[in-house]
Amino acid sequence: MNRSRNETYAVSPASLAVDRYILTGVSLFIAFLLVFFMLFPIYKILVMSFFKEGAFGLENFTLSNYIKYFGTPRIARSLYNSFYVSLMTMAITTVLAFFFAYALTRTTIPGKGFFNTVAFMPLIAPSIIQALALILLFGRNGLITAHLFKSGWSIYGAWGIIVSEVLYCLPHALVILYTTLSAVDTRLDEAAESLGASALQVFWRVTVPAAKYGLLSAAALTFNLTITDFGNPVVIGADYNVLATEIYAQVTNLYRFDLGATVSVILLVPSVAAFMFNYYVTRKSFALISGAARPFIRPSRPLRKWGFFTYCSLVSASIIMVFATVVMGSFVSVWPYDWSLTLKHYRFPSLGGYSAIWTSFWISILVGFFGAFFTLIAGYIVEKKKPFGVQILYLLSVMPAAIPGLVLGLGYILAFNRPYYPFYGTPWIIIICVVIANFTLGTLSSISNIKNIDPSIEEAATSLGSTSISTFVRLIFPLSRVAFFQNYVYFFMRSMTTISAVIFLVSATVHLAAIEIIWLDNDGWTASADAMATCVIAIVLVMLGLLRIVMGKRGGYAVAGGAT
């Protein structure tokens, strides 16, 4: 029966009161998760580094750990080494990514879709894959150095770390610079040219200043990623120790948890500083983005067009070479002596083997679900409901990006290695750690998507008597399902490829594929490590293919402005 036109949809006070309690409860629950599984482990690290045997108390306060760190030249050098490789990587990556993004956004080179796809390939593989490929090509017995040029030079050490980190960080910097250059109004360039400025003058005096905050943001992100990365330095660094590898060495080799915690605190300082700087310049960058940016690009002159095409081809070839080398290394008998094809390297000699791949897979399935679900709720509360203390919840949600994964993993050992924490030593501790470590991007992505939902739709639902739960289930989630699936795949990919956050949390019964790659390589089974990396890449590609199928059916459901 149809309701009469004058009938009102009253919302009962009791329903509103229950709704407020539910909203407050959910907000407190998410805040509790972030405090307990993020701040509590960091607190335990601080206590371990500043107090004798980790016993909090004024009488136990000491700086002996820091005196020992800075008083031991070999250990203290890790701080200088970390800054050196991070600054070098930051400078090289920012320049490479800027010109790559410039070619994609400001020129009419052919094959932009191909270059764009190739540039983001490093995201689907563990960071260690770059180091594995470089060793196969430029190591002591590398294909190019030892066999092609008969040279005794090898890439181990600082430059090995820098090159592998540049390849690893390139897509992260490219995302920021591509967005920045796409959003800056190109009519500024055209106006400068019409006033007689040369192409070089336009580039230095118009284009670069307009993108300065994007450049600073990309540089800060690259610095943060490099100084906190563990996979590449531990494989290709050899004796060149950095802060991340020093933490691992102190904890696993020497069982010096106090010194490991001290190095973690030292690593936290530049990491948090880079995050805060990136957060500041990102807000500045958004403020400069013009809505008048025009996608039309005038046809580029032949020299400019083919010059940038050659540049993008060289960068893309380097990335493809990394993946091709690792995949090929897993199928040849003995690299680089016997090129006959074989599958023997897929009979993994380690304890984990295929069970590690299966464990990584189902853990990643759960990480994807819980990560996408909780970040969508957090984004909904922060953007739409804005309860009391929402700024604290937002701050807690973005803080994980400032904490290195290796530090968070060590904090989990110090905080939860107790009999009354039943999840410690089980796969659940890994699921929790990966979700928390990647909470920032999931939440920001959810907030960005929910911003596009017209507020009048939710107001109409509320006026018709809908509670926050029913509004979320029947309105927000259907309108956000594309973002939900994107976040799901992001968390899945991160779980399959993350190394630093979980290397302290694997146990005799819980093996992960990404960690197995490091152990296989350390034990001299490089070809099997390549095979394990290939399996991880294949699984992530299948998941991306499934997302494309889902998005292909439902991706056209626009949410902007409430339009369908």
Side-chain angles (χ1 to χ4, degrees), residues 402-472:
I403 302 172
L406 203 70
V407 175
L408 194 64
L410 177 58
Y412 275 40
I413 295 178
L414 300 176
F416 303 125
N417 188 10
R418 304 286 187 276
Y420 42 84
Y421 292 122
F423 53 82
Y424 187 81
T426 70
W428 286 106
I429 191 75
I430 296 173
I431 294 171
I432 294 169
C433 185
V434 177
V435 170
I436 296 296
N438 298 284
F439 207 83
T440 303
L441 191 58
T443 303
L444 294 179
S445 175
S446 297
I447 290 175
S448 176
N449 176 74
I450 292 173
K451 275 181 187 291
N452 294 325
I453 299 177
D454 194 335
S456 62
I457 297 178
E458 191 178 7
E459 291 170 3
T462 303
S463 66
L464 291 171
S466 176
T467 64
S468 293
I469 293 179
S470 59
T471 301
F472 180 82

Side-chain angles (χ1 to χ4, degrees), residues 5-274:
R5 182 172 297 178
N6 296 326
E7 186 175 356
T8 59
Y9 294 85
V11 182
S12 68
S15 177
L16 289 175
V18 171
D19 196 44
R20 281 197 296 270
Y21 282 121
I22 292 175
L23 181 63
T24 304
V26 173
S27 302
L28 290 175
F29 177 69
I30 293 178
F32 168 77
L33 288 180
L34 292 168
V35 169
F36 188 64
F37 290 112
M38 180 181 63
L39 295 187
F40 180 51
I42 299 302
Y43 162 77
K44 298 298 288 185
I45 284 181
L46 290 172
V47 170
M48 178 61 77
S49 69
F50 283 109
F51 298 90
K52 294 176 183 175
E53 300 179 355
F56 182 76
L58 191 59
E59 67 279 7
N60 292 326
F61 181 80
T62 178
L63 293 176
S64 60
N65 292 324
Y66 291 89
I67 295 172
K68 181 174 180 58
Y69 174 83
F70 288 104
T72 309
R74 191 200 67 80
I75 304 176
R77 191 168 179 78
S78 63
L79 180 60
Y80 169 80
N81 291 346
S82 287
F83 270 93
Y84 176 73
V85 298
S86 299
L87 291 173
M88 290 294 292
T89 302
M90 179 186 73
I92 297 170
T93 305
T94 305
V95 173
L96 287 177
F98 180 79
F99 284 107
F100 202 96
Y102 184 88
L104 295 181
T105 57
R106 299 299 179 92
T107 69
T108 54
I109 61 171
K112 286 185 180 181
F114 172 77
F115 292 137
N116 201 36
T117 301
V118 171
F120 289 100
M121 283 175 61
L123 296 179
I124 67 172
S127 63
I128 192 178
I129 190 175
Q130 284 81 19
L132 289 174
L134 291 174
I135 290 173
L136 290 176
L137 295 172
F138 304 103
R140 297 187 183 94
N141 199 29
L143 176 65
I144 295 177
T145 50
H147 292 266
L148 187 60
F149 292 108
K150 309 294 181 185
S151 169
W153 182 82
S154 68
I155 200 168
Y156 291 99
W159 277 105
I161 298 174
I162 292 169
V163 175
S164 57
E165 296 290 2
V166 166
L167 293 169
Y168 165 60
C169 297
L170 187 67
H172 299 273
L174 184 60
V175 169
I176 298 173
L177 293 169
Y178 184 90
T179 305
T180 302
L181 290 174
S182 298
V184 174
D185 193 349
T186 57
R187 287 178 298 186
L188 295 173
D189 296 20
E190 297 171 11
E193 290 178 7
S194 66
L195 292 173
S198 65
L200 195 59
Q201 287 174 321
V202 171
F203 177 79
W204 282 113
R205 297 185 180 181
V206 179
T207 306
V208 172
K212 61 181 178 183
Y213 289 119
L215 281 165
L216 292 173
S217 179
L221 177 63
T222 303
F223 179 86
N224 195 7
L225 288 172
T226 305
I227 203 168
T228 58
D229 185 39
F230 170 74
N232 283 312
V234 79
V235 171
I236 204 169
D239 296 331
Y240 194 87
N241 65 329
V242 294
L243 289 170
T245 55
E246 195 59 41
I247 295 172
Y248 183 75
Q250 292 295 330
V251 172
T252 59
N253 299 340
L254 304 174
Y255 301 101
R256 290 294 306 270
F257 284 87
D258 52 350
L259 208 53
T262 303
V263 182
S264 298
V265 174
I266 294 171
L267 177 58
L268 265 175
V269 175
S271 175
V272 172

Side-chain angles (χ1 to χ4, degrees), residues 231-466:
N232 283 312
V234 79
V235 171
I236 204 169
D239 296 331
Y240 194 87
N241 65 329
V242 294
L243 289 170
T245 55
E246 195 59 41
I247 295 172
Y248 183 75
Q250 292 295 330
V251 172
T252 59
N253 299 340
L254 304 174
Y255 301 101
R256 290 294 306 270
F257 284 87
D258 52 350
L259 208 53
T262 303
V263 182
S264 298
V265 174
I266 294 171
L267 177 58
L268 265 175
V269 175
S271 175
V272 172
F275 168 77
M276 296 299 293
F277 182 76
N278 186 26
Y279 180 73
Y280 171 76
V281 296
T282 300
R283 291 172 68 91
K284 288 280 189 182
S285 178
F286 283 144
L288 282 183
I289 289 176
S290 168
R294 293 192 305 168
F296 174 74
I297 305 171
R298 291 180 301 170
S300 303
R301 295 174 180 173
L303 180 62
R304 172 187 172 98
K305 178 179 177 179
W306 294 112
F308 275 105
F309 177 80
T310 304
Y311 170 76
C312 291
S313 299
L314 291 174
V315 174
S316 300
S318 301
I319 297 172
I320 292 173
M321 184 178 65
V322 166
F323 281 79
T325 300
V326 170
V327 173
M328 189 183 300
S330 71
F331 285 110
V332 299
S333 292
V334 182
W335 180 284
Y337 300 101
D338 185 357
W339 295 96
S340 59
L341 298 179
T342 179
L343 292 175
K344 66 179 182 181
H345 304 307
Y346 285 82
R347 295 192 293 269
F348 300 110
S350 61
L351 290 175
Y354 283 101
S355 68
I357 297 174
W358 168 245
T359 304
S360 287
F361 177 74
W362 70 261
I363 282 179
S364 300
I365 292 286
L366 294 177
V367 167
F369 174 75
F370 287 117
F373 179 70
F374 282 116
T375 53
L376 183 60
I377 292 178
Y380 174 63
I381 292 173
V382 169
E383 181 58 31
K384 293 294 185 184
K385 307 312 291 184
K386 295 182 170 45
F388 177 76
V390 65
Q391 290 299 329
I392 297 176
L393 181 61
Y394 177 76
L395 181 63
L396 289 172
S397 298
V398 300
M399 276 183 68
I403 302 172
L406 203 70
V407 175
L408 194 64
L410 177 58
Y412 275 40
I413 295 178
L414 300 176
F416 303 125
N417 188 10
R418 304 286 187 276
Y420 42 84
Y421 292 122
F423 53 82
Y424 187 81
T426 70
W428 286 106
I429 191 75
I430 296 173
I431 294 171
I432 294 169
C433 185
V434 177
V435 170
I436 296 296
N438 298 284
F439 207 83
T440 303
L441 191 58
T443 303
L444 294 179
S445 175
S446 297
I447 290 175
S448 176
N449 176 74
I450 292 173
K451 275 181 187 291
N452 294 325
I453 299 177
D454 194 335
S456 62
I457 297 178
E458 191 178 7
E459 291 170 3
T462 303
S463 66
L464 291 171
S466 176

Side-chain angles (χ1 to χ4, degrees), residues 506-540:
V506 293
S507 63
T509 56
V510 182
H511 301 277
L512 295 177
I515 306 302
E516 287 286 311
I517 298 172
I518 289 183
W519 289 347
L520 285 168
D521 183 69
N522 286 345
D523 292 340
W525 300 96
T526 304
S528 294
D530 295 337
M532 186 70 77
T534 303
C535 291
V536 172
I537 294 169
I539 292 172
V540 174

